[in-house]
Amino acid sequence: MSTVNPATRLGDLVRHRVPAQPAGPQPPRSPAVSLRGAGVRVGSRTLWSGVDLEVGAGEFVAVLGPNGVGKSTLIKMLLGILPPAAGEVRVLGEAPGRAGHRVGYLPQRRNFDASLRIRGTDIVRLGLDGDRWGVPLPVPARFSARRREARDRIAEVVELVGASAYAHRPIGECSGGEQQRLLIAQALVRDPELLLLDEPLDSLDLSHQGAVAALIGRICREAGVSVVMVAHDVNPILAWLDRVVYIAEGGAVAGSPQDVITTQTLSRLYGVPVEVLRTSDGRLVVVGQPEAPALHTDRHVEGGGT
Ligand SMILES: Nc1ncnc2c1ncn2[C@@H]1O[C@H](COP(=O)(O)OP(=O)(O)OP(=O)(O)O)[C@@H](O)[C@H]1O
Ligand SMILES: [Mg+2]
């Protein structure tokens, strides 16, 4: 395990931008994400519509909801992979996809074959090369300054996420938690202003969930990076959250966790009785939240939208 305290390196992370707490008045940063009456369709099905959401610069927002409701689809829309079916969507003040170099992305369901020989640092380098799925091309010797700069930046983010001890090992030999940290380093390597993270705590045990949540929370708070994170369990990130978006079949509600994760709001959103319980240690348990039906037939039905 690395002994580096990530707190000491957060300043390095934002070297290209305004410090998180600058002296004197600063021009307002445009919202990281803004949705007005947004809707999305896959095939002939409308997943959700009429969604209003604003993620301020430097805010940490969680996207919650049952399986299949369209959380990953929201992230893909913000990346510009899927166009909105309705409404207005802006990402860092631009149309989705236009601010790609200012956005870091961690896709859902990342698994590396145990026999994969590519090293952790090469995985991080893919974020720098802008080609996450290919094999990094060697930089010709005449660009040695650029090569050195890239190597330094990779080492910097690897250290930031506490992965120095295993980053040179083949990724297939790293544990799920170690792979996750390296992928977060990949998302961070281009010094993004906005992180879009699709279930980064997936497949981690409780203590690693807490550690990765704290890492992301501190990158947000101390480096001023805006975070939109899809999560299945809000509890590991509750302490860091500014806002949550709860997506149900058809629509969504956004607001503070205290306002949204309540018996009343979730029952109204889902249209069935849902109970929110708070345990003695402050964890939230949502009881009776319906799972979205696996609507496979509706993809073949014309006009089957909601
Ligand atoms: N390209 C596509 N064509 C048709 N249907 C799609 C496509 N992509 C996604 N879907 C469907 O859209 C729905 C929402 O998918 P999405 O991946 O956004 O769900 P999710 O909320 O992220 O679920 P999970 O919690 O399981 O990750 C699912 O029913 C999925 O099968
Ligand atoms: Mg998903």
Side-chain angles (χ1 to χ4, degrees), residues 42 45 47 67-73 108-109 232 299:
V42 288
R45 178 155 60 114
L47 290 181
N67 288 127
V69 85
K71 303 180 296 297
S72 297
T73 306
Q108 187 179 10
R109 285 190 200 106
H232 260 287
R299 288 183 213 159

Side-chain angles (χ1 to χ4, degrees), residues 3-271:
T3 53
V4 174
N5 178 357
T8 60
R9 306 309 303 258
L10 285 172
D12 296 342
L13 185 75
V14 285
R15 62 204 164 141
H16 304 307
R17 290 205 310 283
V18 189
Q21 292 173 317
Q26 294 289 319
R29 287 162 70 188
S30 53
V33 171
S34 161
L35 272 69
R36 297 265 173 276
V40 78
R41 288 173 78 84
V42 288
S44 60
R45 178 155 60 114
T46 298
L47 290 181
W48 40 260
S49 59
V51 173
D52 295 319
L53 169 69
E54 189 155 307
V55 180
E59 281 192 332
F60 192 145
V61 173
V63 181
L64 305 163
N67 288 127
V69 85
K71 303 180 296 297
S72 297
T73 306
L74 168 64
I75 299 290
K76 285 176 192 154
M77 197 180 81
L78 298 179
L79 288 165
I81 296 170
L82 192 78
E88 198 194 333
V89 179
R90 309 290 288 173
V91 176
L92 297 170
E94 301 192 61
R98 297 292 298 274
H101 56 292
R102 297 157 65 201
V103 177
Y105 171 49
L106 178 81
Q108 187 179 10
R109 285 190 200 106
R110 314 134 292 255
N111 39 33
F112 297 104
D113 191 276
S115 63
L116 195 62
R117 302 304 301 166
I118 186 169
R119 295 174 310 162
T121 43
D122 293 327
I123 294 289
V124 178
R125 184 187 303 275
L126 291 177
L128 209 51
D129 298 341
D131 177 5
R132 289 162 218 276
W133 309 116
V135 172
L137 295 171
V139 178
R142 66 182 186 280
F143 297 126
S144 60
R146 204 197 298 173
R147 193 159 52 181
R148 211 170 27 249
E149 199 183 314
R151 202 179 49 221
D152 290 350
R153 178 63 183 156
I154 290 163
E156 197 171 61
V157 286
V158 162
E159 203 178 319
L160 177 88
V161 301
S164 304
Y166 45 82
H168 289 279
R169 287 184 11 215
I171 191 81
E173 288 179 15
C174 293
S175 76
E178 290 167 348
Q179 291 177 358
Q180 210 78 314
R181 281 176 187 262
L182 288 162
L183 286 164
I184 291 170
Q186 184 197 72
L188 284 171
V189 74
R190 274 203 279 183
D191 194 14
E193 289 167 58
L194 169 65
L195 276 179
L196 300 175
L197 306 172
D198 200 345
E199 302 207 27
L201 307 184
D202 192 28
S203 81
L204 300 184
D205 63 36
L206 270 183
S207 76
H208 281 96
Q209 278 187 11
V212 172
L215 170 68
I216 297 164
R218 295 183 55 211
I219 287 165
C220 175
R221 284 214 187 142
E222 295 173 29
V225 178
S226 313
V227 177
V228 175
M229 181 202 281
V230 178
H232 260 287
D233 181 4
V234 74
N235 289 298
I237 47 174
L238 207 48
W240 306 98
L241 283 182
D242 293 302
R243 218 105 49 80
V244 297
V245 186
Y246 234 105
I247 306 183
E249 231 195 318
V253 282
S256 70
Q258 296 83 346
D259 289 343
V260 172
I261 310 175
T262 64
T263 297
Q264 202 184 18
T265 308
L266 293 188
S267 297
R268 198 178 60 235
L269 178 66
Y270 287 111

